[in-house]
Amino acid sequence: MKGTILVVNCGSSSLKIALFDEQLNKLASGLAERLGKKDAFATVKGRAEKIRLANAANHKEALDTLVAVLQDAGLLDEAPAAIGHRVVHGGETFREAALINDDVLAAIKDCASLAPLHNPVNLAGIDATTALFPGIPQVAVFDTAFHQTLPQKAYLYAVPLSLYKEWGVRRYGFHGTSHQFMTREAARILGKTPATTSIISAHLGNGCSITAIRDGNSVDTSMGLTPLEGLVMGTRSGDVDPGLFDFLANKGVAAQEVHRILNNDSGLLGLSGQTNDMRSLCELADHGHEPSHIAIDVFCFRLARYIGAMMTSLDQLDALVFTGGIGENSTLVRKKTLAQLRLFGFTIDDELNNQHGCISDGQIEGADSRFRVLVIPTNEELVIASEALEMAGKPRTNAGSL
Ligand code: ADP
């Protein structure tokens, strides 16, 4: 297939696009932020100035603006050959990416109650690109799809089974494209095939999740029905006692407010009282700010605890992999986390850990470590572009798992 591939990632109030050539080299990228607000704006990589968007611009307006910038730059003189969309929730319907048709759109709508902030805006993105580029094959790539291999014992919560059967209450898992990419990259680095590679993949960005991957398949993951469960994140609490809802209700805090606190005011931000940004926290901790020190400690302890838990799903471990903004860059988080895992046989080479970024395969384990430890930059856009390229080349009757 010749031509470009456009990747669209609609968040609740943001939109990211990227343009790739057919060899999957990135040609351009852009970002629109604060959508729906009066100060919405967009930026395009390589241009210093911000582009002001219309008052309360929506996803369609933002996409139109960003595409027009690419067209002005001569990068999109012809319609793209394929368009890939990140779609957050594919429920139990999608085990892989799907070529978008009416049935696929209806199924994405059906999953909206599981991701009310995300699936509707993902659909808005698909509508917008359909209007701009009618007739071009479009592919939905789901955050949840990679985790559809979870065994029942890992995806069921110990609540009445009727909640699962009637309403789909179960663990779905997220960040699937990143964990899938880690499997592929770790396999490449280790000289194996993805199908024979078993890793623990820790994606640590603003959202954080960890996945056990056995022979290329996700077999346990920390995020659950929603992306709130599991690790400590930038503003999300991760695991808390579900009894907290009733406890706070008795103090007069409504369930919706508890939900807001756990999603927006918790995690690194809640503990430090300062910021959700790990880099800033490390600087604050260096200057003796005790709450920032505590936030980093809780983050690393929870992560180490989950790495231990993920070991129970594996027969062998080819590598522990760190990725995402924190995983790729925070020497301190990697060191503190691995220091908690000596009993498992993990050790770290301080020099390699400190110089990561200058070495080709990102290995940071000590010579005496029982397991390999790798740092691998994630690239979710690339996975979406490659899935779009592959699926758009297939006959139009093949609509993913539907
Ligand atoms: P998102 O989930 O929004 O894509 P990223 O993957 O970009 O987020 O990760 C953002 C996080 O990475 C922030 O907490 C940021 O402080 C952290 N980070 C980036 N660079 C560094 C660094 N050099 N040291 C520590 N943390 C870093």
Side-chain angles (χ1 to χ4, degrees), residues 203-208 231-236 266-287 289-304 322-337:
H203 177 109
L204 312 174
N206 272 313
C208 301
L231 301 175
V232 175
M233 311 183 210
T235 63
R236 284 173 254 168
S266 297
L268 297 173
L269 173 65
L271 283 167
S272 70
Q274 292 286 321
T275 174
N276 63 333
D277 188 90
M278 181 58 86
R279 191 171 8 192
S280 310
L281 277 181
C282 293
E283 283 163 15
L284 283 163
D286 270 353
H287 288 90
H289 186 252
E290 188 56 18
S292 296
H293 180 75
I294 293 169
I296 298 167
D297 250 10
V298 176
F299 182 95
C300 296
F301 175 69
R302 179 86 55 88
L303 176 58
F322 287 96
T323 193
I326 298 172
E328 291 163 32
N329 296 297
S330 179
T331 307
L332 178 71
V333 166
R334 297 192 300 249
K335 187 178 164 79
K336 276 177 86 72
T337 304

Side-chain angles (χ1 to χ4, degrees), residues 203-362:
H203 177 109
L204 312 174
N206 272 313
C208 301
S209 74
I210 184 161
T211 296
I213 294 148
R214 188 169 64 212
D215 296 332
N217 293 319
S218 170
V219 287
D220 193 11
T221 193
S222 59
M223 283 179 169
L225 173 69
T226 73
L228 182 56
E229 191 180 346
L231 301 175
V232 175
M233 311 183 210
T235 63
R236 284 173 254 168
S237 61
D239 294 344
V240 290
D241 182 343
L244 182 64
F245 276 81
D246 188 53
F247 178 85
L248 289 177
N250 288 330
K251 305 271 179 207
V253 188
Q256 257 188 341
E257 176 60 4
V258 181
H259 180 76
R260 196 196 60 73
I261 292 169
L262 296 180
N263 274 287
N264 302 336
D265 293 349
S266 297
L268 297 173
L269 173 65
L271 283 167
S272 70
Q274 292 286 321
T275 174
N276 63 333
D277 188 90
M278 181 58 86
R279 191 171 8 192
S280 310
L281 277 181
C282 293
E283 283 163 15
L284 283 163
D286 270 353
H287 288 90
H289 186 252
E290 188 56 18
S292 296
H293 180 75
I294 293 169
I296 298 167
D297 250 10
V298 176
F299 182 95
C300 296
F301 175 69
R302 179 86 55 88
L303 176 58
R305 197 170 166 214
Y306 258 98
I307 292 169
M310 290 293 145
M311 304 276 274
T312 59
S313 283
L314 300 177
D315 303 323
Q316 63 167 61
L317 179 65
D318 294 319
L320 166 66
V321 179
F322 287 96
T323 193
I326 298 172
E328 291 163 32
N329 296 297
S330 179
T331 307
L332 178 71
V333 166
R334 297 192 300 249
K335 187 178 164 79
K336 276 177 86 72
T337 304
L338 288 177
Q340 302 252 195
L341 292 162
R342 289 224 181 81
L343 191 58
F344 288 86
F346 285 100
T347 64
I348 193 165
D349 181 315
D350 282 330
E351 209 172 309
L352 288 176
N353 188 36
N354 290 336
Q355 68 178 219
H356 175 68
C358 318
I359 45 180
S360 58
D361 64 358

Side-chain angles (χ1 to χ4, degrees), residues 117-141:
L117 292 180
H118 291 100
N119 276 29
V121 292
N122 300 152
L123 285 163
I126 296 170
D127 279 351
T129 46
T130 307
L132 273 173
F133 304 112
I136 300 301
Q138 304 200 64
V139 173
V141 180

Side-chain angles (χ1 to χ4, degrees), residues 81-159:
I83 302 168
H85 290 269
R86 173 185 178 220
V87 178
V88 166
H89 222 302
E92 289 188 322
T93 310
F94 296 100
R95 300 181 74 85
E96 58 183 50
L99 194 57
I100 295 171
N101 58 21
D102 289 347
D103 292 342
V104 169
L105 286 175
I108 295 172
K109 265 187 207 128
D110 279 350
C111 296
S113 72
L114 291 165
L117 292 180
H118 291 100
N119 276 29
V121 292
N122 300 152
L123 285 163
I126 296 170
D127 279 351
T129 46
T130 307
L132 273 173
F133 304 112
I136 300 301
Q138 304 200 64
V139 173
V141 180
F142 300 91
D143 268 25
T144 50
F146 182 62
H147 301 298
Q148 278 298 298
T149 49
L150 290 181
Q152 199 174 52
K153 66 184 175 189
Y155 74 66
L156 280 183
Y157 292 115
V159 295

Side-chain angles (χ1 to χ4, degrees), residues 5 7 20 24 84 141 380-390:
I5 299 113
V7 171
F20 289 83
L24 297 178
V141 180
E380 289 160 287
E381 286 168 347
L382 180 69
V383 177
I384 296 171
S386 81
E387 296 266 13
L389 184 66
E390 193 194 321

